[in-house]
Amino acid sequence: MNKKGQIVRVYLPPDANTLLSVANHCLRSRNYVNVIVAGKQPALQYLDMEAAIKHCSVGIRHLGLGRAMTRARNRTR
């Protein structure tokens, strides 16, 4: 991307619930170019919907997402 952060927002949601929260945010935003990068292959669900909304509103730097992803991975085993 060769546009400034004030114009283009790039989102990389790690799971489906986060994708839904990101899509909701992007559809409501104005005056931005929103880019959502998502895969088509099945993936693990790391966050429940409440945690995904919190993740999207706070951001990855402030959540300690690594711990939540490890706990979710251990639950599926």
Side-chain angles (χ1 to χ4, degrees), residues 17-57:
N17 286 333
T18 310
L19 176 61
L20 289 172
S21 179
V22 166
N24 181 43
H25 170 75
C26 290
L27 290 172
R28 293 173 187 269
S29 69
R30 300 274 187 235
N31 302 319
Y32 291 107
V33 175
N34 294 305
V35 178
I36 302 173
V37 180
K40 297 189 295 184
Q41 299 301 319
L44 296 174
Q45 260 325 99
Y46 296 114
L47 303 172
D48 59 15
M49 198 61 209
E50 292 82 25
I53 292 168
K54 183 178 177 186
H55 167 71
C56 292
S57 63

Side-chain angles (χ1 to χ4, degrees), residues 3-16:
K3 298 288 182 192
K4 294 183 179 183
Q6 294 88 1
I7 299 170
V8 176
R9 303 291 167 101
V10 179
Y11 299 93
L12 302 151
D15 64 8

